[in-house]
Amino acid sequence: MARSAVQSHEPASHEADPRGGEPAGAARELVGQLLAHPWGQVSPSVYETGRLVTFAPWLSAHDRRVSYLLETQRPDGRWGAPDDGYALIPTLSAVEAILSELTDAGGERRGRRATSFHRHRLVRAAALGLRAITTRMCGPSGAALELPDLPAIELTAPALTERISASLARLSDRPEPGLAAWAGRELGPPAGLDRTKLEFVRALLGSGAEVPQKLMHALEIAGDEPARLPRLRPGPTGTIGASPAATAAWLGARTADDPSSPARWYLETVVTQHGGPVPCGFPLTVFERGWVLAWLVRAGVPVDVPPRLVLSLTAPLGPAGTPAADGLPADADTTAGALYALALLGAPHRPDPLYAYETGTHFCTWQGEDGASTTTNAHVLEAFGQYLATGSPGADAPRYAATMAKAAGWLRALQRPDGSWSDRWHASPHYATACCAIALARFGGTDSATAVAAARHWVLGTQRPDGSWGRWGGTAEETAYAVQLLLLTGAAPGEDVENAVRRAVPHLNRSLIRPDDEDADEPALWHDKDLYRPAAIIRAAVLAALHLAGTKTGASPLFRE
């Protein structure tokens, strides 16, 4: 157990530099960062930053946000991941924001903005982006576009194309050299998406009816409606829907009238995280802490866990579990992660809140979910299984065991023929496969042995020649998931596993010794309205993999090749 409620791991045989000469030292630093950064550590989002350029030009560091959009555009005009489907939302948002900057949309309402950027840079970026959109995403070839399962994509894409069309219409009245070819053009959403759901949600918001809390996370899609929703109030942290974009859209014209609004200061706080650009979901306190602590402790990394962190996981638990953070509804994934971590830390809580998400076949992430998540069900399996392992359930043990069998059976049925899994919350099959295989190996019973063996075979077969793993290219994050799967799902590792792990360790080491700002060269892989990178969670995954490599194969966990 980690040093928390009950007992602790013994220190490693040799003391490490607290900066992180080995996984234990770096883990101590990481746990300290959880308290030093209580709202979490997460990468900036092109999508969300673009929405603040449009909705909140009055907010501090506006020019830095515009500059961020210009600096992160790819040579082919797109933004985001090297995949047209994943590039869609950030590219639409960035182009709309730049067009808004050029046309000064709403200038009379908000006070005309002054930009320090040369207009030709904005025009060039907009033209490149529009060309990418019309030829690769929303044009005739967009019919073949494979859309990722990003939250609210069926709302954000039509809302953004609508706003882009409005800016292009304004260009007809205010000719802009370099954009004449697009002036007055009507841009429709990509094939497979239309405005039906967007119009329904806008009508619902305008009706005064109660709306699902999860919709607040994407409130910016409501057009001008957020400024006409006085019944909405910011949460304790000042956020609307744990989203900078939603909060900025809700504030609207209120800002000039109420500069002391908690929502205003939530935004001012968020923009300080990266000096202007902002993340999609923020804060993510409980989500981050649950997975960081669980992954470190599960791997046996010796780490002190202050009681404050344990309390931060228990305090939000209610009949429906816990949300990831203030401004979001409770969900099964965060609840399972918190319960799993608490059981590992020696402070087990009954997993009954998870039954609020049980369906006839599996567990949904939240009530009313469209689609299903394999990793949510893997985490539910771990939460029930680890609670049973503590010896606490008593008379409920048969019921919990039946629940575990149900979740495990559903996971096995979703495994791909090649042995991998995919998931709606992450772009990489390496994350989904690790989550599912590790949960099944520990808590899925003997019926899961074949599925686990297939997953191990798939992982060994997908290692890249340089020793890393990754969907679009080798990353430390995906390499960490592969190493954990290999070392947490079998008995003593064989020669093939030892060789694979030894080749992987240098990639894990390098990810921990480079400066934080170099993390940007690895793609964001986690699903929100845009892809994001939860830095603390990824660091925990890498540390766990390094520790396992050292203890199970003898591969050096020290930061050297």
Side-chain angles (χ1 to χ4, degrees):
M1 300 288 179
R3 276 185 226 154
S4 58
V6 182
Q7 53 184 310
S8 69
H9 288 293
E10 290 301 317
S13 59
H14 56 282
E15 191 62 28
D17 178 4
R19 173 58 192 150
E22 67 160 54
R28 286 192 291 272
E29 180 188 44
L30 177 57
V31 171
Q33 290 174 348
L34 296 181
L35 293 172
H37 304 283
W39 283 12
Q41 301 168 59
V42 61
S43 62
S45 155
V46 169
Y47 167 78
E48 207 85 359
T49 300
R51 299 306 80 226
L52 258 64
V53 168
T54 293
F55 291 122
W58 41 262
L59 189 64
S60 61
H62 172 77
D63 281 1
R64 180 66 194 99
R65 281 185 288 282
V66 178
S67 179
Y68 170 78
L69 297 180
L70 295 173
E71 293 162 1
T72 54
Q73 187 176 27
R74 292 175 175 272
D76 63 7
R78 297 177 301 164
W79 280 262
D83 176 292
D84 283 346
Y86 279 106
L88 172 68
I89 294 300
T91 301
L92 289 174
S93 181
V95 168
E96 192 285 326
I98 291 170
L99 289 173
S100 178
E101 189 77 3
L102 281 168
T103 60
D104 193 31
E108 296 80 7
R109 176 167 57 86
R110 292 184 295 218
R112 191 165 186 84
R113 73 191 76 169
T115 177
S116 60
F117 299 101
H118 295 297
R119 292 185 71 84
H120 76 270
R121 292 184 63 200
L122 297 172
V123 168
R124 181 177 182 276
L128 280 172
L130 285 165
R131 186 175 299 115
I133 291 168
T134 54
T135 59
R136 304 177 66 135
M137 301 171 188
C138 297
S141 61
L145 190 65
E146 184 176 349
L147 295 173
D149 191 9
L150 294 173
I153 189 172
E154 73 279 14
L155 302 175
T156 54
L160 288 167
T161 55
E162 175 187 78
R163 295 189 68 94
I164 289 173
S165 295
S167 288
L168 296 180
R170 285 191 293 273
L171 287 176
S172 298
D173 300 326
R174 309 177 193 176
E176 183 70 56
L179 290 174
W182 284 277
R185 285 185 63 171
E186 183 75 20
L187 183 65
L193 295 177
D194 59 32
R195 293 172 47 83
T196 303
K197 190 168 184 179
L198 176 63
E199 291 171 354
F200 172 80
V201 170
R202 286 178 172 174
L204 182 64
L205 290 168
S207 70
E210 192 71 25
V211 297
Q213 187 183 3
K214 65 181 182 179
L215 279 179
M216 296 303 100
H217 187 56
L219 187 64
E220 68 274 10
I221 57 88
D224 293 330
E225 285 300 326
R228 296 198 285 266
L229 296 173
R231 67 187 182 280
L232 290 180
R233 290 289 182 269
T237 58
T239 178
I240 297 289
S243 162
T247 305
W250 176 83
L251 270 172
R254 271 180 280 248
T255 307
D257 300 327
D258 186 13
S260 64
S261 166
R264 166 72 180 262
W265 296 106
Y266 160 77
L267 292 175
E268 294 287 1
T269 300
V270 174
V271 301
T272 65
Q273 304 300 308
H274 298 286
V278 295
C280 270
F282 203 69
L284 40 67
T285 307
V286 180
F287 182 79
E288 177 185 86
R289 291 177 176 187
W291 291 120
V292 167
L293 297 176
W295 286 355
L296 292 176
V297 175
R298 180 178 69 185
V301 181
V303 61
D304 293 325
V305 180
R308 285 172 58 193
L309 288 180
V310 178
L311 181 61
S312 72
L313 297 179
T314 62
L317 285 170
T322 178
D326 173 46
L328 295 171
D331 71 85
D333 199 38
T334 304
T335 300
L339 291 169
Y340 182 47
L342 288 168
L344 287 169
L345 290 167
H349 280 56
R350 295 176 64 84
D352 293 59
L354 289 169
Y355 283 118
Y357 305 94
E358 188 177 19
T359 73
T361 56
H362 65 286
F363 286 78
C364 57
T365 304
W366 59 70
Q367 295 164 354
E369 175 184 32
D370 295 327
S373 166
T374 55
T375 62
T376 291
N377 283 267
H379 297 147
V380 167
L381 176 58
E382 289 178 321
F384 277 97
Q386 195 62 41
Y387 184 75
L388 270 176
T390 66
S392 304
D396 284 321
R399 181 191 182 202
Y400 293 160
T403 299
M404 292 165 59
K406 174 180 178 177
W410 186 80
L411 288 174
R412 291 194 298 268
L414 268 290
Q415 189 175 28
R416 291 170 164 177
D418 64 3
S420 68
W421 280 268
S422 61
D423 187 56
R424 67 177 319 193
W425 297 121
H426 203 279
S428 173
H430 294 288
Y431 171 76
T433 304
C435 289
C436 294
I438 292 170
L440 288 172
R442 179 72 176 86
F443 302 115
T446 56
D447 289 344
S448 299
T450 300
V452 173
R456 290 171 61 85
H457 180 75
W458 177 79
V459 168
L460 287 171
T462 54
Q463 189 171 24
R464 291 173 172 270
D466 66 357
S468 67
W469 280 269
R471 171 175 176 170
W472 291 310
T475 68
E477 177 186 354
E478 293 163 282
T479 300
Y481 299 143
V483 168
Q484 287 191 62
L485 186 154
L486 293 173
L487 298 180
L488 287 174
T489 61
E495 184 178 355
D496 55 347
V497 170
E498 287 194 358
N499 288 338
V501 170
R502 289 181 186 278
R503 292 172 58 216
V505 164
H507 298 279
L508 302 175
N509 285 338
R510 281 195 294 271
S511 78
L512 296 180
I513 61 175
R514 62 190 180 189
D516 291 342
D517 59 2
E518 289 187 15
D519 283 343
D521 65 2
E522 289 200 353
L525 295 166
W526 293 62
H527 283 194
D528 199 328
K529 291 177 283 184
D530 191 1
L531 291 177
Y532 72 101
R533 179 182 170 85
I537 293 175
I538 292 170
R539 191 172 180 86
V542 171
L543 289 169
L546 277 171
H547 182 80
L548 289 167
T551 57
K552 290 183 176 287
T553 72
S556 173
L558 300 179
F559 296 163
R560 62 172 182 260
E561 295 189 35

